[in-house]
Amino acid sequence: MMQTGLIDSIIRDTGLTDGKTRETPVDQILHPDKDGPPRIEKWNYRSIIGKLNFLAANTRPDISMAVHNCARFCNNPTLLHEQAVKRIVRYLILTKDKGMILTPKNDFSLNMFVDADFAGTWHKEYAHLRDSVLSRTGFIITFCGCPII
């Protein structure tokens, strides 16, 4: 399953047609940047985050963490957050032909995989900010080897 049309729409909306790509969707955990420089680009940050969220939830779980990081700052994104969104889009340009391949097995097994991260975004520079310390959990449930939740 691929959503190349949605990826094309995101690329078009952000205007990132310069050919630059990235090997990974994220290179750092984002923190509040209240005193950082304002955004430069005119595209709608919330709209792009919404499209990226839909993409991550349906066919591209590889960008989920990066999109979640950026979505936390929809109320007042700065240049730092804008650059993080651009990195995700440049990663999608490189991996546009990727998606999910579902190959059901005949074993009718139901499996659940869980992971957690306690205070993974903590950084001593932002220790005084309550939002800087987050714990995350994630899970996936598969049936016959294919994800259902």
Side-chain angles (χ1 to χ4, degrees):
M1 297 187 315
M2 294 187 292
Q3 291 179 302
T4 54
L6 181 56
I7 293 172
D8 287 336
S9 171
I10 294 167
I11 294 167
R12 196 172 39 254
D13 289 352
T14 56
L16 294 176
T17 57
D18 56 9
K20 292 181 183 177
T21 60
R22 295 284 185 243
E23 294 284 327
T24 59
V26 67
D27 63 347
Q28 64 180 339
I29 300 292
L30 293 178
H31 293 284
D33 191 29
K34 294 178 182 173
D35 297 326
R39 290 183 54 222
I40 297 171
E41 304 292 340
K42 300 299 180 204
W43 39 265
N44 186 323
Y45 188 91
R46 282 180 189 261
S47 175
I48 298 299
I49 291 296
K51 288 181 179 187
L52 289 170
N53 217 3
F54 186 85
L55 188 64
N58 291 290
T59 59
R60 296 298 299 266
D62 54 330
I63 65 169
S64 294
M65 187 270 230
V67 174
H68 171 76
N69 254 337
C70 294
R72 292 175 44 218
F73 304 101
C74 276
N75 283 342
N76 191 20
T78 62
L79 183 61
L80 176 70
H81 307 121
E82 180 179 275
Q83 289 169 342
V85 170
K86 285 182 174 182
R87 183 179 183 94
I88 297 168
V89 176
R90 288 191 170 116
Y91 171 76
L92 289 173
I93 292 169
L94 182 67
T95 61
K96 189 162 101 170
D97 61 335
K98 306 295 182 207
M100 292 180 67
I101 299 172
L102 303 178
T103 309
K105 299 176 183 171
N106 291 327
D107 64 0
F108 296 103
S109 63
L110 184 66
N111 294 301
M112 181 171 184
F113 303 93
V114 180
D115 195 12
D117 179 21
F118 177 71
T121 60
W122 185 86
H123 189 276
K124 64 181 177 182
E125 182 179 341
Y126 301 105
H128 64 285
L129 298 173
R130 184 172 173 250
D131 293 342
S132 72
V133 180
L134 296 174
S135 296
R136 295 191 174 116
T137 60
F139 66 92
I140 184 167
I141 300 173
T142 62
F143 179 67
C144 296
C146 295
I148 56 173
I149 295 179

